[in-house]
Amino acid sequence: MTLGVFERETGHEQVVFCHDPDSGLKAIVGLYSTALGPGLGGTRFYPYGTEDAAITDVLNLSKGMAYKNALAGIPHGGGKAVIIGDPSADKSDALLRAYGHFVDSLGGRYITACDMGTAVPDMDIIAGVTRHVTSKSPALGGGGDPSVLTAYGVFRGMLACAEHRWGSASLSGKRVGIAGVGKVGHLLLEHVLDSGGSVVVTDVRQEAIDKVRTAHPEVDVVADTDALIGADLDVFAPCALGGVLNDDTVPVLRAPVVCGAANNQLDHDGLDAELAARGILYAPDYLVNAGGVINVADELHGYSFERAKARADRIFDTTRQVLEHAASEGIPPASAADRIAEQRMRDAASRKGSAAEPAG
């Protein structure tokens, strides 16, 4: 196994490469900041076309995790890893064990978890060679499916948006459009219905739509996301692919509130300001979808669903804080969220620096 260090100036603390010819492992770990604690973030297993594409992804994802973890109030910095390859063809027990040794070689600076292309059984294999892993099965002390708290956190963020927009932390009588009703979207749908709201959905997978119709025949269905964006809604909740808010969709979006679970909902920088200019309240995705990382972080302390849920409950307060800060400063909520996260990281780095200074 060979390790390499990345030397490009990106603002990251550390970027480490690993190549293990015996197993075929090619992996990169990015650590953006460990001011708040060890970097925590998932491992993405994906057939990147080039190494540069993999590097770009790990840099962006690890920075995003630093901001997400800071806002979530968990004692972790931002880290992320990518494994270059096709998980359906290249994944093996030997490769996963080699990857576990790579993670372990970082001495606890990075703690891994599931992401695209990896799952709980993979984390269980990795856990055989390192303790710096989460997203394990309950039999190994893991927290099980993080979708439960991801959906709950989005719902709590949505209630904070409702309070900011309409003066009451309630979705009673509100119409919510959910794009993507997989695990998280379906659970979010049930929270909205239980709170007295109505729901309209869309999904590219017919089986997901059929599941919703069977469980909740009162839910309306539209053909696609474009139809949902143009519908008369109170809240638009993107819960599938990123980039749904783009130059084509933002001008025609009718919902006055956007709050969903999908990552990277904004196709490019500047769209948050365009939404604000249109009077649309946008809840930053990495703020409201943090329930999943809260769930896995709790595994490191002997998993307790009640404790993890109580922390996810605070997404309401953080969302309220972000929206109030945005309103008082006259900036988009995404900018306000960034400022709060950055301040928390700076404060933590300052405390570390002070603690490291010799007395007298």
Side-chain angles (χ1 to χ4, degrees):
M1 180 183 296
T2 58
L3 304 179
V5 179
F6 185 69
E7 295 182 348
R8 187 191 308 170
E9 181 58 46
T10 62
H12 286 67
E13 289 184 11
Q14 187 178 20
V15 181
V16 187
F17 296 71
C18 174
H19 181 210
D20 180 55
D22 291 340
S23 66
L25 173 69
K26 292 183 177 180
I28 310 169
V29 167
L31 287 166
Y32 182 76
S33 168
T34 57
L36 288 162
L40 173 64
T43 295
R44 182 165 294 189
F45 202 138
Y46 187 77
Y48 295 96
T50 65
E51 187 176 90
D52 279 349
I55 292 170
T56 297
D57 209 25
V58 80
L59 292 176
N60 291 337
L61 291 168
S62 55
K63 181 176 181 179
M65 288 306 302
Y67 283 68
K68 176 181 284 191
N69 293 346
L71 277 182
I74 58 177
H76 291 284
K80 203 78 173 186
V82 298
I83 297 175
I84 302 171
D86 181 350
S88 65
D90 301 325
K91 188 188 296 183
S92 67
D93 288 4
L95 182 147
L96 292 170
R97 283 193 294 270
Y99 175 66
H101 285 297
F102 172 37
V103 170
D104 201 59
S105 74
L106 299 176
R109 282 176 55 78
Y110 170 63
I111 300 168
T112 195
C114 293
D115 198 270
M116 182 189 303
T118 58
V120 169
D122 303 327
M123 297 302 115
D124 284 353
I125 293 171
I126 292 167
V129 295
T130 182
R131 61 188 178 88
H132 307 303
V133 57
T134 63
S135 300
K136 304 185 299 292
S137 64
L140 293 183
D145 188 355
S147 300
V148 174
L149 289 188
T150 301
Y152 181 68
V154 173
F155 174 66
R156 293 294 293 164
M158 197 177 288
L159 290 179
C161 289
E163 178 187 69
H164 190 85
R165 170 64 70 174
W166 298 296
S168 174
S170 170
L171 294 174
S172 180
K174 303 301 181 187
R175 187 164 177 80
V176 178
I178 302 177
V181 281
K183 284 185 179 180
V184 174
H186 194 113
L187 290 165
L188 178 61
L189 173 156
E190 292 178 341
H191 285 304
V192 174
L193 292 177
D194 289 344
S195 69
S198 62
V199 176
V200 54
V201 304
T202 191
D203 198 296
V204 297
R205 296 162 302 125
Q206 187 59 44
E207 63 269 23
I209 293 296
D210 291 342
K211 184 178 178 181
V212 169
R213 281 178 162 151
T214 299
H216 302 286
E218 72 275 23
V219 169
D220 293 328
V221 177
V222 295
D224 53 31
T225 301
D226 286 341
L228 202 59
I229 286 170
D232 185 15
L233 303 171
D234 295 297
V235 182
F236 173 53
C239 293
L241 296 176
V244 67
L245 297 170
N246 54 49
D247 291 330
D248 295 324
T249 58
V250 167
V252 297
L253 177 65
R254 297 179 66 186
V257 172
V258 177
C259 180
N263 287 310
N264 304 314
Q265 294 168 24
L266 301 177
D267 188 54
H268 61 77
D269 291 342
L271 287 171
D272 56 339
E274 188 172 336
L275 287 166
R278 289 199 58 219
I280 296 172
L281 186 66
Y282 168 67
D285 45 52
Y286 74 84
L287 163 63
V288 299
N289 69 11
V293 74
I294 289 171
N295 189 78
V296 300
D298 197 82
E299 293 182 22
L300 299 167
H301 308 284
Y303 183 72
S304 162
F305 176 78
E306 291 73 19
R307 183 176 58 212
K309 185 178 180 183
R311 188 175 288 277
D313 206 45
R314 299 175 201 165
I315 290 174
F316 177 94
D317 298 321
T318 308
T319 304
R320 174 195 275 165
Q321 179 188 4
V322 165
L323 298 179
E324 289 176 350
H325 183 68
S328 65
E329 296 293 321
I331 58 176
S335 298
D338 285 351
R339 288 185 184 182
I340 292 170
E342 289 161 0
Q343 187 61 53
R344 290 181 179 180
M345 286 186 275
R346 282 195 299 269
D347 290 347
S350 178
R351 288 193 296 271
K352 274 189 173 182
S354 298
E357 292 178 1

